[in-house]
Amino acid sequence: MARKNLLEGLLDPAAEQSAAPAMPYPVRGASKSMIRSIDELAKQADKYLEGEQVIEIDPSSIDISFIADRMGDDQEQYQELREAIRERGQDTPVLVRPHPGIDGRYMVVFGHRRVRVAKELGRKVRAVVKSLDDRAHVIAQGQENSARANLTFVERAVFAKRLEELEYGRDVICSALAANEAAVSKMVSVVTRIPSALIQRIGAAPSVGRERWVELSLLVAKPSNAQKVDTIIARPDFDGLASSERFERLLAGLNTKGKPARKGVAKPDPKVWVPADKSASVLLQGTARKAAITVKGDLGFEFAAFITGQLDDLYGAFKRSKSGETGD
């Protein structure tokens, strides 16, 4: 039985002329290919492997993709994946293509971590091989990772900027990231304002979303802040912080007036509390109308649970203090 052409709409027009039945979501430009939800995107990603022959390949013959989409692996998640594959084998095959420049070798489209695990464990990697051009490759890679890899905003933004540098059109970038043109424009503008070396120094910042990256980018872009940036990232403890904490340190250092870079409500400086035994730490950040408290440390969860149990009393004390201030 002939294989289904599961990438119709991603290939060149000449290839499409001889295509078999189309995918449920053919990709033909941003206006026609916008995928409405992560669930649909996951189904789209599954189509790349559905019905295809799975073979075993020596991972040493597989090279990484020509375009990166991650800013370093989450080591805890990677070790969990490694242990799962070691115990029960590789459940889901990776997608590779014949290497476009080296005969007898392959290039990963998606499944980089599974290939790495197989290499470390000395096992063959289960894979589907498809002949894809570069355009189909980046769309497949972007869609699969958008559905499954939980890429952060800045990782998606860096991926979008890299595709733009490789002269792919916005229709391809939108399809790869399942995002509209406005969202892609914002991604690209953020990583254009912030130097690439600084983004790499900060890292993926998993707890930081789009609007805060926009705010940081506007601050970094100010010439008057260049020296401040250098001073903040040169501090001895900067690289020892978690990625999201590095972001917060830089943003707080540049936003010294406690106001967002764009017009809006004034934003208080973050506040940190640490006990003498350093068994926990509390970070308070936000605006006048919305705040977030993060509790970390060996006793972080236990202390947070204790605080939660005292909220009625704490709120009563807070209201009494406010009454005292106003004289009510």
Side-chain angles (χ1 to χ4, degrees):
M1 180 180 295
R3 294 184 182 181
K4 298 177 182 178
N5 183 357
L6 299 176
L7 293 179
E8 181 179 76
L10 303 186
L11 304 178
D12 289 338
E16 292 179 0
Q17 291 176 6
S18 61
M23 296 184 345
Y25 306 101
V27 180
R28 300 183 187 277
S31 62
K32 295 183 179 179
S33 66
M34 193 52 54
I35 300 170
R36 302 296 181 182
S37 70
I38 292 299
D39 286 341
E40 289 178 335
L41 192 60
K43 293 176 183 177
Q44 177 86 331
D46 288 339
K47 293 295 180 181
Y48 298 127
L49 304 176
E50 185 180 90
E52 296 296 299
Q53 181 181 0
V54 178
I55 64 174
E56 292 190 342
I57 300 176
D58 184 342
S60 65
S61 68
I62 303 175
D63 296 322
I64 62 173
S65 172
F66 69 95
I67 180 168
D69 50 39
R70 287 180 178 271
M71 296 173 63
D73 273 325
D74 182 311
Q75 286 303 309
E76 183 176 349
Q77 289 185 359
Y78 176 76
Q79 290 304 322
E80 290 175 359
L81 174 66
R82 189 180 189 279
E83 185 62 20
I85 292 177
R86 188 189 67 79
E87 289 183 354
R88 65 173 186 267
Q90 180 190 337
D91 296 330
T92 306
V94 305
L95 179 63
V96 301
R97 61 187 283 208
H99 198 292
I102 307 174
D103 290 341
R105 295 191 65 79
Y106 303 92
M107 179 180 288
V108 180
V109 178
F110 54 73
H112 289 81
R113 294 193 300 172
R114 280 165 279 170
V115 172
R116 177 183 164 193
V117 167
K119 188 177 295 186
E120 290 180 359
L121 296 178
R123 299 180 180 180
K124 297 287 184 69
V125 62
R126 299 178 65 244
V128 166
V129 181
K130 277 185 173 293
S131 295
L132 308 178
D133 61 15
D134 287 350
R135 178 178 180 274
H137 178 134
V138 298
I139 293 176
Q141 180 179 341
Q143 288 182 345
E144 203 273 348
N145 283 329
S146 293
R148 314 210 187 275
N150 296 321
L151 299 182
T152 67
F153 169 79
V154 75
E155 285 179 313
R156 287 163 57 82
V158 169
F159 186 67
K161 183 65 161 58
R162 180 61 179 143
L163 290 181
E164 187 176 75
E165 292 170 347
L166 292 172
E167 300 183 351
Y168 288 100
R170 284 294 168 90
D171 60 332
V172 174
I173 301 173
C174 289
S175 296
L177 292 172
N180 59 35
E181 288 202 28
V184 169
S185 293
K186 186 164 286 190
M187 291 179 193
V188 172
S189 67
V190 165
V191 295
T192 299
R193 295 189 196 105
I194 305 176
S196 176
L198 180 57
I199 291 174
Q200 294 297 324
R201 190 78 178 271
I202 295 170
S207 67
V208 181
R210 181 183 67 184
E211 294 308 314
R212 313 221 39 232
W213 272 105
V214 170
E215 183 179 349
L216 179 66
S217 73
L218 293 169
L219 290 166
V220 169
K222 292 182 177 180
S224 59
N225 280 336
Q227 185 59 49
K228 291 182 182 179
V229 170
D230 291 341
T231 299
I232 293 168
I233 66 176
R235 291 173 183 166
D237 63 337
F238 185 81
D239 290 329
L241 299 171
S243 177
S244 295
E245 292 172 339
R246 291 195 291 270
F247 177 95
E248 298 296 348
R249 172 75 64 83
L250 183 58
L251 180 63
L254 297 180
N255 198 7
T256 54
K257 295 182 180 179
K259 297 180 180 179
R262 299 191 295 178
K263 293 180 180 179
V265 180
K267 184 176 181 180
D269 290 333
K271 299 183 184 301
V272 179
W273 176 85
V274 180
D277 62 5
K278 298 183 179 179
S279 59
S281 66
V282 178
L283 171 66
L284 170 63
Q285 54 191 348
T287 67
R289 296 184 61 84
K290 182 180 179 180
I293 296 176
T294 304
V295 183
K296 294 184 177 182
D298 294 339
L299 298 178
F301 184 85
E302 186 177 349
F303 184 42
F306 175 81
I307 294 173
T308 302
Q310 307 295 317
L311 288 178
D312 287 340
D313 292 340
L314 290 171
Y315 187 71
F318 167 74
K319 294 293 286 185
R320 288 193 295 274
S321 71
K322 298 296 288 184
S323 296
E325 290 176 5
T326 60
D328 293 341

